[in-house]
Amino acid sequence: MEKLVSSKKTKEIVKKYGFQFSKSLGQNFLIDENIIYKIIDGAQIGKEDVVIEVGPGIGTLTQYLAERAKKVLAIEIDKNLIPILEGETLKGYENVEVVNADVLKVDIIKLIYEKLDGQKVKVVANLPYYVTTPIIMRFLEEEIPVKDIVVMVQKEVADRMQARPNTKDYGALTVAVQYYCKPHVITKVPRSVFIPQPKVESTVIRLKVLDKPKVEVEDREIFFKVVKASFAKRRKTLLNSLSMSSLGLDKEEIKKVLSMSSISEKRRAESLTIQEFAVLANNIAAIKKSI
């Protein structure tokens, strides 16, 4: 099978099957081999690796993944792409299996045990931008056996994932991703390497999943509630943000917790490190237990 990674070949396939790009599914097909190699090299795909690819499109990246990996499981939500993938572009690749499913709804752990022998997976994808965060957080939060996530995302999202405290990009997504992973930008991607061209710039980012979370927390649910509540009103002080949240503590109790945590009442969420959020959440968990 001739490689798909060209504007000409992509247009030929699209025309042959009468495929219509879906704006609602955020479909933008990659047409640059250099970027594909950067994705695969960044993911350090080897012959023993099993890969889940989310949203393979017409299989452009999938072909290259199949040549490096032990097996590729491609999860595609658009049923109109299945005949293209199974009937043409991936026909000669025996180590690729296509599943027509919504990655946000399908039982991923079951798929890994049924299709990939329960091996720890690498997730590699050119993600649809409208569901980037829910997809990434699903792989991180649900204890799916993942060792690496290498994804193409909107530049602004990548900036938030790898942000540092006291910057405009630092927020709840930053803390959530860095709780589970070590982020590293692989390359920036111009709009011109897609058909059709998106309206935004993109970035390929690697999220190296940590063996254990970056900080120890007594109650993970409370930790993430504290993070979300703190950033919900960025301009407000932590005292005001947390007092107005659903944590169930009044202003005096929040004052007490901040004092216990050696955090000034006047600080804002963007100034806290992930370690300080952990201390704060652990003290809130302790207070809630004692009430």
Side-chain angles (χ1 to χ4, degrees), residues 32-229:
D32 187 290
E33 191 171 52
N34 181 44
I35 299 296
I36 285 178
Y37 279 126
K38 284 186 176 177
I39 293 170
I40 291 173
D41 291 342
Q44 298 174 356
I45 305 290
K47 283 294 176 192
E48 296 307 308
D49 287 319
V50 292
V51 176
I52 288 180
E53 184 188 5
V54 180
I58 59 170
T60 310
L61 174 60
T62 326
Q63 292 179 335
Y64 289 81
L65 287 168
E67 289 175 355
R68 294 269 191 102
K70 180 179 173 183
K71 182 157 185 188
V72 180
L73 183 66
I75 303 174
E76 176 53 62
I77 191 173
D78 189 349
K79 66 180 189 302
N80 297 315
L81 287 166
I82 305 305
I84 301 176
L85 292 164
E86 292 185 338
E88 183 153 347
T89 61
L90 301 178
K91 202 173 180 182
Y93 295 92
E94 292 181 3
N95 62 337
V96 177
E97 187 164 352
V98 179
V99 175
N100 181 204
D102 181 346
V103 74
L104 291 175
K105 294 177 182 173
V106 73
D107 186 336
I108 297 172
I109 294 176
K110 187 181 176 188
L111 279 179
I112 289 171
Y113 279 93
E114 285 181 356
K115 314 284 189 187
L116 302 171
D117 299 325
Q119 255 189 271
K120 261 195 165 187
V121 301
K122 290 188 175 183
V123 178
V124 182
N126 170 20
L127 287 179
Y129 295 162
Y130 74 106
V131 284
T132 295
T133 302
I135 290 172
I136 289 172
M137 293 315 296
R138 180 165 193 215
F139 276 103
L140 295 177
E141 288 175 339
E142 294 185 20
E143 295 181 6
I144 294 165
V146 178
K147 54 183 173 182
D148 247 346
I149 299 174
V150 176
V151 284
M152 175 108 65
V153 298
Q154 191 173 331
K155 178 187 175 294
E156 286 75 12
V157 175
D159 290 344
R160 293 208 294 275
M161 287 179 182
Q162 56 147 6
R164 294 285 173 265
N166 292 306
T167 63
K168 67 177 177 64
D169 293 318
Y170 187 71
L173 178 63
T174 316
V175 177
V177 166
Q178 292 183 20
Y179 174 81
Y180 293 105
C181 306
K182 185 176 181 181
H184 167 69
V185 166
I186 292 169
T187 188
K188 293 187 176 158
V189 184
R191 287 176 282 186
S192 59
V193 303
F194 297 96
I195 289 180
Q197 287 191 22
K199 292 179 180 175
V200 296
E201 300 294 321
S202 306
T203 297
V204 177
I205 191 165
R206 179 187 186 200
L207 306 175
K208 177 68 181 169
V209 180
L210 301 169
D211 291 331
K212 61 179 185 177
K214 190 170 181 176
V215 289
E216 285 188 31
V217 295
E218 298 296 323
D219 185 315
R220 193 168 71 173
E221 189 181 340
I222 288 177
F223 174 74
F224 283 112
K225 266 190 179 180
V226 168
V227 171
K228 284 174 186 171

Side-chain angles (χ1 to χ4, degrees), residues 18-30:
F19 177 76
Q20 300 289 319
F21 288 93
S22 166
K23 272 192 178 178
S24 67
L25 293 177
Q27 289 171 334
N28 305 93
F29 297 164
L30 198 52

